[in-house]
Amino acid sequence: MASSSGATKVGHGLAKALGIKLNYREPFGKGDITRGESIFSVSTADTYVEDEPTTADWLREVTPTPQTFLRYLYDLFPFVHWITRYNARWLFGDVIAGITVGAVVVPQGMAYAALAELKPQFGLYSSFMGVLLYWFFATSKDITIGPVAVASTITGNVVAMVAKSDPDLPGHVVASALALVAGCIICFIGLIRCGWIVDFIPLTAISAFMTGSALNIAAGQVPTLMGISSLFNTRAATYQVVINTLKNLKHSTLDAAMGLTALFLLYAIRSTLNFGARRMPNRRKVFFFLSTLRVVFVILLYTLVSWLVNRHHRKKPLFKILSTVPRGFQDAAVPVINTRILKAVASQLPVTVIVLLIEHIAIAKSFGRVNNYTIDPSQEMVAIGFTNIFGPFLGAYPSTGSFSRTAINSKAGVRTPFGGFITALVVLLAIYALPAVFFYVPNATLSAVIIHAVGDLITSPNTVYQFWRVSPLEVIIFFAGVIVTVFSSIEDGIYTTICVSVAVLLFRVVKAKGRFLGKVKIHSVIGDGLMDDGEKHNSPQGQQFGDAHDPDTSARNIFLPIRHNDGSNPQIDIDSPHPGVFIYRFSEGLNYPNANHYLDYMVATVFKQTRRTNQNSYGKLGDRPWNDAGPRRGKLAEDQSDRPTLKAIILDFSSVNNVDITVVQHLIDVRNQLDRYSSPEKVDWHFACINNRWTKRALASAGFGYPTPADDVPIHHRWKPVFSVAEIGGNTSAAAAAEYRENEKEIQRQQTRDVEQAARAKSMVHEDEIGGDATSSSSDVVTRQLSTSKAYTKETAKHAVVQGLNRPLFHIDLTSALQSAIANVAGRSEMEVKGVGTEAT
């Protein structure tokens, strides 16, 4: 204690030397508040003084504890949460789903490798490592990680760009380095638990990105589908690829037959099986699995056709085929990372990271909501990061969550993330057992598989219409992103949608509009359609008003925007709270970007609807400020006698969580401005619905939260506090009511026994008297217990103030704030009248 006192003295001495005012504005003098009755008169209410939060409190909240660190390590490997309860039923579901996804990912992986400008085996390597590692770190049971169309396209753009600037760098080395660096960045973001950054990318930006990318990829695969990809650059802007494709259709080769028919067959099988599922709902599961395997069926069918056609033309096939696919992991090696490669891929790292995050997190959240579980974005980033860090050691390129395969995995009935391990076994089998079969796979058929897959990524017109119903402005952003992607590139489309969305968010924050509120009395009404026939109707129309004694259903006051810009019925007349009293609500938080806009509007409205307290504050023309020069010469000043003077400002902080230094300084400036406007009176500032202790501390440090002391009048003579109190027990509690009912039953039972005993003893007077005394004594015991029970005494229920007595201008709601403001305006008027009367006598 002595050391603490000494440290306090040293601190106060240092503050005095530096000119720091520890008590900027003493609210009630230097004495501490120990009882509210010394300044505030609140009967039956216990004193409560709210302590301000301290820096030590904040440090205790944010400083990790050993338990926090252990929990962090435990959450870093989510599989330990459920692996000990793994069972046979879970295994059966995982095996079915894993095999199904494995059958799909093998042809898709080889097809997407072509988008990445790599050989087919690199798509298989990426497919294997993605599903093998993800389940260790997964918080989603449905996601399958591997090569996807958009990420493969971005990788292909990087590989093609580096091939032009540095032809000596092999493409797979560049792709592996890109995966490793991007994986390290994403893993770091996840390890520091900053997964919330993906929330800055809105749904419209994701939809625009997916739609534009799907159009870009589909247009780029049509030339391969038609066998004319060698005639022009298929990685140019989408509109250029479409134009060049139309120009060169006349040069189509036999590949078009393999591609167009395969594409038609894929859609035909899906449509037929979907129709069958609708006609025979009891066999929906069978139709689903058949539809899932349509890609495998088409690949095998056209591989057979290719073998029949090209078995005698292995060196010069009649149409383009994959040719040799090496068996096993022939390209496994330590990834090469040096300055040369980093310079080559640095410009594409941001878009690569964004693409990997957007696809994966969006898909994971979507399927989590569908299947009733919650994912951890930070942990999902760790999963993506480790997959892309270790994948390149086997030759993998950037991988992320796949929408189509995740949908298949979910519908196939996967039970846990371990289903990915089963998929890895299927891919491993394909890598070692099926390379000879892959030799004859037609390139045009793989292009058909890609076009068929990305077609599901295009946002449907109905979805766009629903976007329009919700927010027309965001639909404009959506189309802007799609158009930029089509006429420029996927990267530019991503940057456009994200930047415009952030700009719109900042504009909404900066230009947020506050609203002035008025008072309306409302009733709760129950119409005939919602009532039983046996209930009584209290009105001729069959409508019943709430119980007048129930504050939740009886007539009560609410506060609505005076201009009805919240959609409330404009026929309702909204009353002004009180002459000279204004209620102002912040709509979207209160921070340094929007504080000036909020408060400028508030001050301008106050000036328009009130007049100066002292009309003769400018004795001469030269005393007026330049921005309030008054009427022109020869003209009378505007008559403002019908306007009230400014008395109080009530700020609704229900949408405000934190305030910063800029906000507090703006409030101080406005307070001083309005005090000069209302001089010699002071404007009372009331705050309602403050939800944060640090916000209260910030406002109190600037002198808000308690009355402004006058120079000539003691504060307790001019201030009438109004506090909100709540019951903390007493005879209205539920427990007391239950005890009361039980004791009433006991009294009735005792009285019944008294009557029976009196009847039996009717012939014996002496015994009757004795029995009467006994029964009376028994009844008296129960009655005495009831009378002495604290639950049934007629004492007033005990109350306590809801908020601290030391901050009387911080109110629990708008009603108490308005009551306090009106009470003190009325009290001030009474003091002025008494002062005038005293002077007259």
Side-chain angles (χ1 to χ4, degrees):
M1 293 293 293
S3 60
S4 176
S5 177
T8 302
K9 291 181 178 179
V10 172
H12 287 182
L14 183 60
K16 185 176 181 180
L18 295 176
I20 299 175
K21 298 179 180 179
L22 296 178
N23 296 314
Y24 165 64
R25 221 177 141 196
E26 284 288 352
F28 312 111
K30 297 182 179 179
D32 294 334
I33 299 178
T34 57
R35 281 292 294 173
E37 288 77 8
S38 61
I39 294 175
F40 312 109
S41 177
V42 183
S43 61
T44 73
D46 285 348
T47 299
Y48 169 63
V49 177
E50 182 177 354
D51 295 329
E52 290 186 347
T54 63
T55 305
D57 295 336
W58 180 80
L59 290 176
R60 280 192 294 269
E61 291 177 2
V62 300
T63 302
T65 62
Q67 292 78 9
T68 304
F69 181 71
L70 293 176
R71 183 69 189 185
Y72 173 83
L73 294 179
Y74 180 68
D75 290 339
L76 198 59
F77 302 96
F79 77 94
V80 300
H81 301 179
W82 52 266
I83 194 67
T84 56
R85 293 182 290 277
Y86 202 79
N87 53 68
R89 293 194 62 182
W90 288 5
L91 178 61
F92 178 77
D94 289 344
V95 168
I96 298 299
I99 294 175
T100 304
V101 174
V104 175
V105 73
V106 170
Q108 278 192 352
M110 294 188 296
Y112 292 153
L115 292 176
E117 297 289 337
L118 300 173
K119 294 181 179 179
Q121 64 266 27
F122 292 100
L124 295 176
Y125 302 156
S126 301
S127 302
F128 173 74
M129 290 302 295
V131 293
L132 178 65
L133 295 177
Y134 174 69
W135 74 276
F136 283 98
F137 309 98
T139 60
S140 170
K141 71 177 182 67
D142 300 299
I143 286 285
T144 60
I145 290 185
V148 296
V150 182
S152 299
T153 302
I154 297 296
T155 303
N157 293 340
V158 176
V159 171
M161 179 185 67
V162 175
K164 292 181 181 179
S165 59
D166 196 345
D168 296 332
L169 278 176
H172 70 277
V173 173
V174 175
S176 296
L178 180 66
L180 180 59
V181 177
C184 290
I185 295 173
I186 295 173
C187 185
F188 174 75
I189 296 174
L191 289 174
I192 64 175
R193 295 309 194 225
C194 287
W196 46 265
I197 64 173
V198 298
D199 294 332
F200 283 96
I201 303 175
L203 177 60
T204 48
I206 297 174
S207 300
F209 151 72
M210 300 296 284
T211 300
S213 300
L215 294 175
N216 179 284
I217 294 168
Q221 288 303 301
V222 171
T224 305
L225 191 79
M226 306 301 295
I228 55 177
S229 58
S230 60
L231 301 181
F232 54 91
N233 180 18
T234 60
R235 292 191 175 273
T238 304
Y239 79 99
Q240 293 179 340
V241 174
V242 172
I243 293 174
N244 291 328
T245 300
L246 294 175
K247 288 182 178 179
N248 292 279
L249 280 179
K250 58 185 177 181
H251 303 297
S252 299
T253 63
L254 189 59
D255 293 79
M258 303 299 292
L260 290 175
T261 55
L263 184 61
F264 172 78
L265 187 58
L266 285 169
Y267 279 106
I269 293 175
R270 186 173 73 172
S271 299
T272 302
L273 294 177
N274 288 343
F275 177 77
R278 290 193 299 270
R279 294 296 299 272
M280 291 178 282
N282 56 330
R283 297 187 178 181
R284 184 182 299 272
K285 200 74 173 179
V286 175
F287 285 111
F288 161 73
F289 281 107
L290 292 176
S291 179
T292 298
L293 297 176
R294 66 185 181 276
V295 174
V296 178
F297 170 74
V298 169
I299 290 292
L300 291 177
L301 175 63
Y302 280 81
T303 300
L304 175 62
V305 173
S306 176
W307 176 75
L308 294 174
V309 173
N310 294 312
R311 58 181 174 169
H312 300 301
H313 307 279
R314 288 176 60 91
K315 294 184 179 180
K316 291 184 178 182
L318 299 182
F319 45 82
K320 296 178 182 178
I321 57 177
L322 288 184
S323 298
T324 303
V325 177
R327 186 186 308 273
F329 297 94
Q330 300 297 324
D331 295 282
V334 177
V336 179
I337 300 291
N338 51 41
T339 307
R340 176 185 174 190
I341 293 179
L342 289 177
K343 288 182 178 179
V345 303
S347 62
Q348 298 298 313
L349 270 176
V351 69
T352 303
V353 171
I354 291 174
V355 167
L356 296 181
L357 291 180
I358 284 180
E359 286 204 69
H360 185 95
I361 301 300
I363 295 169
K365 285 184 177 181
S366 176
F367 280 89
R369 286 189 290 267
V370 170
N371 294 315
N372 196 28
Y373 62 85
T374 303
I375 66 132
D376 182 354
S378 297
Q379 185 59 32
E380 290 298 312
M381 289 184 181
V382 173
I384 304 172
F386 275 111
T387 299
N388 285 283
I389 288 172
F390 291 104
F393 286 87
L394 293 183
Y397 67 88
S399 303
T400 188
S402 166
F403 179 80
S404 59
R405 296 195 297 272
T406 298
I408 292 172
N409 200 29
S410 178
K411 292 180 180 179
V414 67
R415 302 301 298 273
T416 71
F418 188 72
F421 182 80
I422 308 300
T423 301
L425 296 180
V426 175
V427 177
L428 186 65
L429 178 66
I431 291 174
Y432 279 96
L434 299 179
V437 177
F438 296 152
F439 182 91
Y440 289 102
V441 175
N443 287 346
T445 302
L446 291 179
S447 293
V449 170
I450 294 174
I451 294 173
H452 181 66
V454 300
D456 295 331
L457 301 180
I458 298 176
T459 305
S460 66
N462 180 61
T463 302
V464 176
Y465 174 71
Q466 298 303 325
F467 287 170
W468 177 265
R469 293 289 305 274
V470 175
S471 176
L473 179 60
E474 293 189 80
V475 174
I476 297 175
I477 298 175
F478 168 82
F479 282 113
V482 173
I483 291 171
V484 170
T485 302
V486 169
F487 287 91
S488 180
S489 64
I490 295 176
E491 299 94 311
D492 292 339
I494 293 174
Y495 293 145
T496 298
T497 53
I498 293 177
C499 291
V500 174
S501 297
V502 172
V504 170
L505 173 64
L506 292 176
F507 179 82
R508 286 175 173 171
V509 171
V510 173
K511 293 297 183 180
K513 295 181 179 179
R515 295 174 177 176
F516 285 92
L517 306 182
K519 184 174 62 174
V520 177
K521 178 175 287 188
I522 65 169
H523 303 268
S524 295
V525 178
I526 303 176
D528 283 341
L530 301 177
M531 298 177 61
D532 295 332
D533 295 336
E535 290 184 295
K536 295 181 180 180
H537 297 178
N538 294 341
S539 65
Q541 291 79 16
Q543 294 178 333
Q544 182 179 11
F545 289 90
D547 184 2
H549 301 288
D550 186 353
D552 294 328
T553 59
S554 61
R556 59 195 183 276
N557 292 326
I558 64 169
F559 300 90
L560 297 176
I562 294 177
R563 295 186 176 180
H564 294 284
N565 46 11
D566 63 335
S568 56
N569 191 344
Q571 296 180 354
I572 298 175
D573 294 329
I574 300 178
D575 299 329
S576 175
H578 189 272
V581 177
F582 294 87
I583 302 177
Y584 190 63
R585 172 177 291 169
F586 302 103
S587 59
E588 295 192 28
L590 180 62
N591 303 103
Y592 69 91
N594 57 23
N596 188 66
H597 185 262
Y598 267 135
L599 298 178
D600 281 353
Y601 173 70
M602 184 189 77
V603 171
T605 304
V606 168
F607 284 172
K608 288 180 181 179
Q609 298 183 10
T610 61
R611 60 178 174 84
R612 286 184 176 275
T613 304
N614 184 5
Q615 296 283 11
N616 300 320
S617 56
Y618 302 131
K620 298 179 181 179
L621 181 62
D623 295 337
R624 301 187 73 96
W626 66 272
N627 60 334
D628 186 16
R632 294 182 179 274
R633 294 183 182 275
K635 293 187 177 181
L636 296 176
E638 181 183 358
D639 183 16
Q640 299 181 349
S641 58
D642 59 330
R643 299 182 186 178
T645 58
L646 178 60
K647 301 296 183 182
I649 298 290
I650 301 175
L651 298 182
D652 183 358
F653 265 50
S654 56
S655 64
V656 179
N657 187 41
N658 289 291
V659 294
D660 48 56
I661 295 175
T662 306
V663 169
V664 173
Q665 186 59 51
H666 276 298
L667 289 172
I668 293 173
D669 294 340
V670 171
R671 179 182 62 193
N672 296 336
Q673 180 184 11
L674 295 182
D675 281 347
R676 289 192 298 269
Y677 178 75
S678 64
S679 177
E681 295 292 337
K682 298 291 186 180
V683 178
D684 297 329
W685 288 75
H686 300 259
F687 295 82
C689 307
I690 302 178
N691 304 311
N692 191 314
R693 293 178 64 209
W694 286 93
T695 300
K696 293 180 181 179
R697 167 177 160 156
L699 294 172
S701 66
F704 296 101
Y706 41 81
T708 302
D711 298 331
D712 55 345
V713 181
I715 189 170
H716 59 273
H717 287 320
R718 61 179 295 271
W719 186 253
K720 291 186 177 181
V722 176
F723 292 102
S724 297
V725 297
E727 296 181 7
I728 58 175
N731 58 0
T732 58
S733 64
E739 184 182 354
Y740 183 81
R741 287 193 297 270
E742 290 298 324
N743 288 336
E744 284 286 347
K745 293 178 181 178
E746 179 63 26
I747 291 175
Q748 293 177 0
R749 288 193 294 267
Q750 188 63 41
Q751 289 175 347
T752 302
R753 286 194 295 268
D754 291 346
V755 173
E756 293 175 351
Q757 291 177 5
R760 286 195 300 267
K762 186 176 182 181
S763 61
M764 301 175 64
V765 177
H766 181 67
E767 293 179 2
D768 180 67
E769 291 177 353
I770 296 176
D773 293 340
T775 55
S776 299
S777 175
S778 177
S779 298
D780 291 342
V781 170
V782 177
T783 305
R784 186 165 55 253
Q785 290 177 351
L786 287 176
S787 62
T788 58
S789 174
K790 294 181 179 179
Y792 307 107
T793 58
K794 299 301 182 179
E795 298 176 0
T796 305
K798 193 174 183 180
H799 294 76
V801 290
V802 179
Q803 293 188 313
L805 297 175
N806 54 329
R807 298 288 180 260
L809 299 189
F810 291 160
H811 304 281
I812 194 66
D813 59 6
L814 287 174
T815 300
S816 59
L818 181 59
Q819 289 173 349
S820 179
I822 294 176
N824 285 279
V825 169
R828 190 181 306 171
S829 300
E830 292 177 3
M831 287 183 59
E832 292 176 356
V833 172
K834 290 180 180 179
V836 172
T838 303
E839 292 177 1
T841 57

